Amino acid sequence: MCKKYACHRIKKTHHLDLLDFDFVSGKFQIPCVFPETVCVQRLVAFNKIRSFQEVTKNIGVHFFLDDYQFERVWNKPERYAKMLAGFACVLSPDFSMYADMPLAMQIWNHYRKMAVSQVLQNQGITVVPTLNWSTEESFQFCFDGMPKNGTIAVSSVGCCKNSSVREKWTRGMNEAVGRLKPKTILFYGSPIEFQNQGSEVVYFQPEHLQRVRKIRKGKIEVGERTKWLMENPRVIGAVAKNLGIQYDDWEDLRQEVMLQSLRCKDGFEKSKAGIQTWAWNFVRMVARKFQKNVMMPYCPVSLEEVSPRMCWKSFWCVT
């Protein structure tokens, strides 16, 4: 294989052509971002933005989710930059750094976080870097690329119940504040005491946890269709597969289906149709509209050729 071709392909795959390697820090050459000053009233999850219909002027986007839900941002950062451009700010993707991960993997995830952050900032998006660390050994690289005297973000989700985890979190947070001296800290999750050293701390509660609590307390009514879809989420992937929707968009479609199911009137009548057929038809209706909005260039199976029978046959094949 031609070395020039291989080099070009690697640059495109890892977005080396989009990064400024004169603006890096540390021995691992972590991409840097400039400090930002932001004022936001709310943070919404990245997996909600495709169907988000409210005014985005004072709203930021966070990535405090499972990694698989935003891996596609690393794969196609320029594509998602257009979707994120309308928000007040974007927190950098929070790729996981667990203590039992190999150190090389932790460095790679921090590099990816800062690389995407630099690409988005170069596109004119206001980027707030997200803090993440594991053990004290990670302190040698996990703050590289972070701006001083700016705005940073951090999450305490999953750190409150275990005292040892909370202690490690506090130690890392104190280290971060001492090194970066931020003016503002966007704090996502339940408050944990730390040495803020005069930094302004703005707290945000996780909206998805609030929604779950409301559902459990009966404050949000969930109909038969929504209950069934929550119990059988793979059917959404089966519909997406049969309609030719790209795998990278399946999670967005799942979020859209559940959101629309909660919003739309649930008028299921057992005398007219079975719950499976009725719910499947709803998923197909939302998926067709979703596909039209996303403007998928390739659809191997026409919408007319897709039937509930085909969907249920492939339902058991989707993993």
Side-chain angles (χ1 to χ4, degrees):
M1 182 182 292
C2 176
K3 291 185 178 180
K4 290 185 177 180
Y5 173 75
C7 183
H8 175 73
R9 186 178 65 180
I10 290 174
K11 284 184 177 180
K12 295 291 290 184
T13 303
H14 298 293
H15 318 302
L16 303 181
D17 56 330
L18 302 177
L19 297 173
D20 180 5
F21 284 96
D22 291 328
F23 193 35
V24 295
S25 69
K27 64 179 180 180
F28 299 111
Q29 295 183 305
I30 304 297
C32 298
V33 295
F34 292 102
E36 302 275 14
T37 301
V38 302
C39 180
V40 292
Q41 300 174 354
R42 178 184 172 193
L43 293 177
V44 297
F46 166 74
N47 57 11
K48 303 286 186 182
I49 64 172
R50 189 186 292 277
S51 58
F52 199 76
Q53 298 177 351
E54 302 176 35
V55 178
T56 60
K57 183 178 180 181
N58 297 314
I59 296 178
V61 177
H62 73 79
F63 290 84
F64 298 126
L65 306 162
D66 292 329
D67 288 18
Y68 78 91
Q69 298 198 45
F70 56 86
E71 191 75 26
R72 55 190 182 274
V73 180
W74 164 251
N75 296 331
K76 302 175 182 177
E78 290 182 301
R79 172 186 176 184
Y80 289 96
K82 298 177 182 178
M83 298 172 59
L84 296 166
F87 290 86
C89 72
V90 175
L91 277 56
S92 55
D94 187 46
F95 293 107
S96 297
M97 286 173 53
Y98 296 112
D100 55 354
M101 277 183 172
L103 197 62
M105 186 181 294
Q106 296 182 42
I107 297 170
W108 171 240
N109 277 350
H110 179 65
Y111 172 86
R112 291 200 297 164
K113 173 178 68 176
M114 299 309 299
V116 172
S117 299
Q118 190 182 96
V119 171
L120 294 178
Q121 194 173 66
N122 289 342
Q123 297 288 327
I125 296 173
T126 300
V127 176
V128 176
T130 302
L131 294 172
N132 203 352
W133 60 90
S134 57
T135 62
E136 292 188 10
E137 190 176 12
S138 69
F139 294 173
Q140 60 181 303
F141 62 85
C142 69
F143 305 122
D144 289 351
M146 297 276 187
K148 294 183 178 180
N149 303 312
T151 303
I152 59 174
V154 70
S155 171
S156 65
V157 175
C159 301
C160 298
K161 295 182 179 180
N162 189 302
S163 59
S164 62
V165 174
R166 187 166 59 248
E167 182 181 349
K168 291 179 181 179
W169 185 95
T170 303
R171 192 182 307 122
M173 190 63 193
N174 292 338
E175 183 73 18
V177 173
R179 293 193 187 193
L180 303 178
K181 303 187 185 319
K183 293 182 179 179
T184 306
I185 301 173
L186 305 184
F187 196 113
Y188 184 84
S190 301
I192 299 178
E193 292 186 6
F194 65 96
Q195 300 172 6
N196 64 330
Q197 299 185 20
S199 302
E200 179 188 7
V201 184
V202 184
Y203 292 95
F204 299 90
Q205 286 296 320
E207 294 185 357
H208 69 285
L209 295 180
Q210 294 177 341
R211 178 179 289 273
V212 170
R213 293 188 186 115
K214 289 180 179 179
I215 291 175
R216 289 176 177 174
K217 293 179 179 179
K219 294 183 179 180
I220 296 181
E221 184 178 352
V222 178
E224 292 292 329
R225 177 184 61 226
T226 305
K227 288 180 181 178
W228 188 87
L229 289 173
M230 291 172 68
E231 294 171 357
N232 301 276
R234 289 186 296 173
V235 71
I236 300 174
V239 173
K241 181 179 180 181
N242 278 286
L243 294 182
I245 295 176
Q246 296 179 10
Y247 181 77
D248 287 349
D249 295 311
W250 285 18
E251 179 59 27
D252 287 341
L253 174 60
R254 188 186 72 81
Q255 294 290 337
E256 179 70 10
V257 168
M258 300 308 300
L259 181 65
Q260 293 300 330
S261 186
L262 287 169
R263 286 178 177 174
C264 298
K265 183 178 179 181
D266 192 345
F268 172 61
E269 297 181 19
K270 293 183 180 179
S271 59
K272 293 185 178 180
I275 183 66
Q276 295 179 354
T277 303
W278 183 69
W280 182 88
N281 287 331
F282 176 82
V283 174
R284 183 178 64 171
M285 178 188 69
V286 176
R288 293 170 85 173
K289 188 174 182 180
F290 174 88
Q291 190 177 42
K292 182 179 179 181
N293 292 338
V294 176
M295 298 181 67
M296 292 297 170
Y298 173 65
C299 182
V301 182
S302 65
L303 300 178
E304 290 73 20
E305 294 174 345
V306 179
S307 66
R309 192 166 190 174
M310 290 174 62
C311 179
W312 287 105
K313 182 178 179 181
S314 60
F315 170 80
W316 303 106
C317 300
V318 177
T319 57

